[in-house]
Amino acid sequence: MIQPFTPEPIRFVAEDGTPVQPLPERFTPDLLRELHTLMLRAREFDRKLITLLRQGRTTFYAQSSGMEATQVGLARSIRVGHDWVWPYYRDHTLGLAMGVPMAELLSQCLGTNSDSSRGRQMPHHFAAQAQNFVSISSSIASQVPPAAGNAMAQKYLGVDELTVCTFGDGATSEGDWHAGLNMAGAAKAPAMFVCENNQWAISTSIREQTASETIHIKAKAYGMPGYYVDGNDLVAVMEVCGYVADQIRAGHGPALVECLTYRVGSHSNADADAEKHYRTREEVEEWLGRDPITRVEKLLEHLGHPVSAEERAALIASTHREVDEQVLKAEATGQPDWRIMFEDVYADLPGHLRDQEAFLRAEQTGQAGQGGQA
C-alpha cells in the first residue's frame, strides 16, 4: 500500500539493483528492457544536443541527464493524449517517453520551418498537441496556476482526465506555486503536482531556499496528500505516480509527489562553466554512482536478463544516427522568414497589420532590387 508523508523516499529497488520489497508482477524483463531503452535513448539525446550547442546550431538547452527514471516513470503512469501535461523546461525526456517524435523536438530546438511554432518560441520550449503536452515556459512556476485552472475545468466538465504539472524544486519557492496548489486544493481539482527535486535551483541548493525538511510535506498546507519517492528508482516512480493517478481519477482530489533525484549536468548551457563553483565534484560523483539507468541494468542482471555491452552500444549508436538524420532533415526545411510575423494569429489580418506587412514587403522588394534577397 502506497502511503503519503513517509519520512524516507518510497523505494522498490536498491541502488545495487536488488528489490527491497516484492517487485510488482507487471515489471517483467520485457517491460524493463523497453523502459531501459527509453531512458538510454533520452540520455544520448541529451549528449547530442550538447554537441549541437557547441556547433552553434541551437542556442539554449537544459539537460535532464540523471533524471530519466522520474520522467519516464511519470510518462508511463498517465493516459497519454487523454490527460493533460503542464511541463517545465527540463522535461524533454518526459516528452520523448510520451511519444513526442524526436523530429519535432529537434525542429523546435533548431527553429526551422519544420518547427510547429516556426521559430517563435525559445529553443527547447516545445509543445505537442497530440500528447496534450502544453508549451514549456521558462518563467519559474508560471505553469502551476493555469494547470490548476485546467484541472478545475476538468472537474467542472465531469471528465475522467487529470492534469499533471511538473516543476523543479526551485519552483516551490515561487508565489505562483503556492497560489496554484492552494486553488487546486480548495477546489479538489484532479491535479497531480510532481516536483522533480534535483536539489539545485540553478546555483541555489534546496537547503538554502526552504526550511522544510522535504518538499512533499508542503502538501499539508493545501489539504492534499504528499508522496515522497526515490526519483532514481523507476519502479517506485511508476508505482507511486500510477497509484496517485488512480486516486485522483477516483475523485479524491489533488496530490503532490516529490521525486528525489539529481541533475548531473549544468542547469543549462548558460552556466556550463559556472556550475563547478557552486557544487563540488564529489557531490556530482556521488550521484553519478546512483545513476537511474545503471540501476535498471543491475535489476535486469539480478533477474537473469542482463543488457549486454553490445546491446547498449548498438542502442547508443542508433540514437546518435537518428538525431543526426533528423537534424539534417530539419535544417533542410530552411529558416522561417519575416512573413511569419503576420501568420498563425488572426484568421483575418487587421488593417494596421496589413499595412505593416505591405510596408515590409515593399522594403524587401526594394532591397532585392539592390542586390538584397526578397
Side-chain angles (χ1 to χ4, degrees):
M1 180 69 175
I2 305 296
Q3 296 290 338
F5 303 117
T6 54
E8 297 295 328
I10 297 169
R11 177 182 286 185
F12 278 77
V13 180
E15 292 169 10
D16 64 1
T18 58
V20 295
Q21 56 179 307
L23 203 64
E25 291 183 2
R26 64 177 172 143
F27 289 97
T28 62
D30 285 344
L31 175 60
L32 289 169
R33 279 179 167 273
E34 179 185 343
L35 298 170
H36 172 264
T37 296
L38 290 174
M39 294 169 71
L40 188 56
R41 183 170 178 260
R43 174 73 59 86
E44 295 307 313
F45 180 87
D46 246 16
R47 289 177 175 161
K48 291 293 287 184
L49 262 291
I50 296 300
T51 300
L52 290 177
L53 267 171
R54 291 170 178 164
Q55 293 172 342
R57 294 158 95 173
T58 188
T59 57
F60 179 84
Y61 188 70
Q63 295 171 267
S64 68
S65 289
M67 301 168 64
E68 293 88 355
T70 289
Q71 295 188 24
V72 171
L74 176 59
R76 285 307 186 92
S77 304
I78 62 174
R79 300 177 187 174
V80 175
H82 179 77
D83 299 328
W84 285 75
V85 175
W86 291 74
Y88 93 122
Y89 51 74
R90 207 176 298 281
D91 274 343
H92 55 273
T93 294
L94 175 61
L96 288 169
M98 289 175 62
V100 177
M102 188 180 286
E104 290 187 18
L105 269 68
L106 287 167
S107 292
Q108 200 285 319
C109 287
L110 298 170
T112 61
N113 279 318
S114 53
D115 170 21
S116 61
S117 61
R118 299 206 285 174
R120 295 187 182 96
Q121 176 63 295
M122 182 175 174
H124 196 228
H125 287 57
F126 62 95
Q129 186 174 7
Q131 286 79 16
N132 292 341
F133 193 100
V134 179
S135 182
I136 292 171
S137 171
S138 268
S139 300
I140 307 301
S142 63
Q143 74 274 27
V144 181
N150 196 93
M152 291 164 69
Q154 290 167 331
K155 181 179 180 180
Y156 175 79
L157 293 170
V159 296
D160 70 342
E161 303 168 0
L162 62 88
T163 294
V164 177
C165 179
T166 64
F167 42 84
D169 47 288
T172 67
S173 298
E174 294 287 338
D176 275 351
W177 186 84
H178 295 274
L181 265 73
N182 186 60
M183 286 194 300
K188 300 298 179 188
M192 175 161 55
F193 297 100
V194 181
C195 178
E196 301 180 34
N197 181 4
N198 61 34
Q199 304 178 61
W200 286 94
I202 307 184
S203 59
T204 305
S205 74
I206 186 70
R207 290 291 157 244
E208 293 176 297
Q209 63 172 296
T210 181
S212 295
E213 291 184 7
T214 61
I215 299 297
H216 77 283
I217 201 72
K218 297 175 187 281
K220 289 188 176 183
Y222 306 111
M224 64 180 75
Y227 297 88
Y228 193 25
V229 59
D230 181 345
N232 282 12
D233 181 348
L234 175 67
V235 175
V237 174
M238 287 180 65
E239 285 297 293
V240 172
C241 289
Y243 171 81
V244 171
D246 289 342
Q247 290 293 300
I248 294 171
R249 225 180 290 277
H252 297 297
L256 172 62
V257 180
E258 176 187 357
C259 295
L260 183 62
T261 182
Y262 194 82
R263 64 164 169 85
V264 296
S266 59
H267 167 72
S268 72
N269 57 294
D271 77 331
D273 294 323
E275 62 100 7
K276 63 178 177 287
H277 298 299
Y278 60 76
R279 61 182 185 178
T280 65
R281 189 63 207 169
E282 290 75 18
E283 177 184 311
V284 176
E285 290 291 343
E286 178 185 348
W287 280 91
L288 284 170
R290 302 175 183 176
D291 185 273
I293 298 176
T294 301
R295 193 181 305 195
V296 174
E297 291 172 348
K298 288 180 177 179
L299 174 59
L300 280 164
E301 185 175 358
H302 173 79
L303 296 174
H305 295 267
V307 176
S308 69
E310 292 76 17
E311 288 178 283
R312 203 178 199 280
L315 178 55
I316 291 172
S318 67
T319 302
H320 289 194
R321 283 195 302 271
E322 182 180 6
V323 172
D324 292 340
E325 290 168 2
Q326 295 301 334
V327 165
L328 291 176
K329 287 181 180 179
E331 290 179 333
T333 67
Q335 295 292 320
D337 67 15
W338 62 270
R339 295 172 182 83
I340 70 164
M341 289 191 290
F342 304 97
E343 298 172 358
D344 300 331
V345 177
Y346 294 100
D348 297 306
L349 202 64
H352 70 286
L353 290 181
R354 287 199 299 271
D355 292 343
Q356 291 177 27
E357 182 184 23
F359 175 83
L360 279 172
R361 190 178 299 279
E363 186 178 66
Q364 294 294 317
T365 302
Q367 290 176 353
Q370 300 171 20
Q373 192 173 41

